[in-house]
Amino acid sequence: MAKRVVVSHFFNEAYLLPWWLRHHREIFDHGVLIDYHSTDDSVAICRELVPHWEVVSSENATFAALLCDFEVMKHEQRFPDAWKLALNTTEFFVAPGLAKMERVVAQHDLTGVCLPGAVMVDTDPHNPPDPLRPLVEQKATGIWEDEIDFAALAIPGLTFPTRSRLYHRYAIGAYTPGRHNSHLPRQCNGSRELGSIRWYGFSPWSNAFKARKLQISDRRDSFDVKNGFGAQHQADIAELDGRWSKLRPLSGILRNAA
């Protein structure tokens, strides 16, 4: 069976990383974790929870979307025969039918699967999640992206489905900026029953979670600011709470959840 490899990058993610690492170490054989020069305990957490995975320092001083994608793909290329998935720390891969999904791709000689995405929105923010229990079990409310009226919401950076990720077996993902799409041929659309991406963009809605969102804007590269990459990160606490308030009434337990 082909190896499964996850590639991710992080900056000061000590709050979410324990949940993320414990979740994905059960799915992937190996991980490459790119540290964007964190100043908290993120690296130590990685070394403790996944000592057999790689933690590498980013070659980029700031977060630049195009250079980040290029760096991710350079690491992907090191595992030419593996199944690969590139994720952010807010993205949890839920795949009860992963083996079946891989068989379908192989049988039809496809390149990979575009996984459906859901925006996770905390409907019970006064009930904080237990750090030692799986986050996907405790905070399971969200909205499937294909059920969102993005125009009606009018939330910056949330204007079209962007949480789909490509689970693929090519050398690199050949991604468009942000890795939201890919130029690779012979892709197929995945199903919720087999596998999906749960984006914890608005969950758990705690002070610690909001603090990690607020730190991102200062890390954006000047080129990205000038050209509108990562505009969703440019927000203060009032703006973040306003976005969450718009999404909360739409959020519920996801159908076809694992």
Side-chain angles (χ1 to χ4, degrees):
M1 186 176 70
K3 193 174 187 178
R4 295 168 179 161
V5 176
V6 63
V7 181
S8 187
H9 53 82
F10 64 88
F11 170 73
N12 286 2
E13 290 285 9
Y15 179 64
L16 278 181
L17 266 175
W19 283 307
W20 192 93
L21 292 169
R22 289 190 182 101
H23 179 86
H24 290 99
R25 71 185 181 185
E26 301 301 317
I27 302 172
F28 293 95
D29 303 298
H30 188 64
V32 179
L33 308 172
I34 305 168
D35 172 33
Y36 267 74
H37 319 293
S38 296
T39 57
D40 66 357
D41 293 331
S42 293
V43 171
I45 290 169
C46 293
R47 298 200 188 282
E48 176 189 352
L49 295 179
V50 286
H52 54 300
W53 287 11
E54 297 176 65
V55 180
V56 298
S57 294
S58 175
E59 59 192 30
N60 302 309
T62 59
F63 185 80
L66 297 178
L67 295 178
C68 175
D69 296 343
F70 185 47
E71 187 172 25
V72 165
M73 287 187 280
K74 283 196 287 187
H75 285 291
E76 283 189 328
Q77 197 170 22
R78 295 167 46 213
F79 307 93
D81 299 320
W83 291 98
K84 292 178 281 287
L85 184 62
L87 295 174
N88 297 335
T89 313
T90 47
E91 295 168 335
F92 285 63
F93 182 35
V94 176
L98 183 54
K100 179 178 179 181
M101 186 164 62
E102 291 172 345
R103 285 197 303 271
V104 170
V105 171
Q107 288 168 1
H108 294 274
D109 193 26
L110 300 173
T111 307
V113 182
C114 294
L115 302 162
V119 178
M120 306 306 287
V121 185
D122 194 352
T123 57
D124 188 16
H126 299 297
N127 183 21
D130 183 340
L132 298 179
R133 291 180 51 218
L135 187 62
V136 294
E137 293 177 5
Q138 300 180 80
K139 295 294 181 180
T141 54
I143 320 158
W144 290 109
E145 283 198 306
D146 60 9
E147 298 175 359
I148 296 177
D149 185 342
F150 292 96
L153 283 173
I155 294 177
L158 201 65
T159 54
F160 61 95
T162 59
R163 302 336 300 186
S164 174
R165 293 299 186 192
L166 181 67
Y167 187 66
H168 71 92
R169 55 177 189 158
Y170 187 59
I172 61 170
Y175 305 110
T176 60
R179 304 178 310 286
H180 304 302
N181 291 292
S182 166
H183 295 295
L184 290 180
R186 300 188 62 76
Q187 302 175 34
C188 69
N189 291 322
S191 69
R192 300 174 184 177
E193 294 84 356
L194 298 183
S196 62
I197 300 295
R198 313 294 168 90
W199 175 53
Y200 279 80
F202 297 89
S203 178
W205 204 240
S206 62
N207 289 333
F209 182 81
K210 296 176 195 178
R212 64 157 296 282
K213 287 181 78 74
L214 291 170
Q215 72 177 352
I216 300 173
S217 61
D218 293 336
R219 300 288 297 175
R220 291 172 68 207
D221 185 79
S222 59
F223 179 87
D224 286 28
V225 174
K226 180 179 179 180
N227 292 282
F229 292 140
Q232 70 273 17
H233 299 306
Q234 203 67 42
D236 57 19
I237 189 65
E239 172 65 22
L240 290 178
D241 278 326
R243 295 175 186 178
W244 171 78
S245 296
K246 285 185 177 181
L247 292 165
R248 181 181 181 178
L250 307 176
S251 182
I253 297 294
L254 297 176
R255 296 189 301 277
N256 300 320

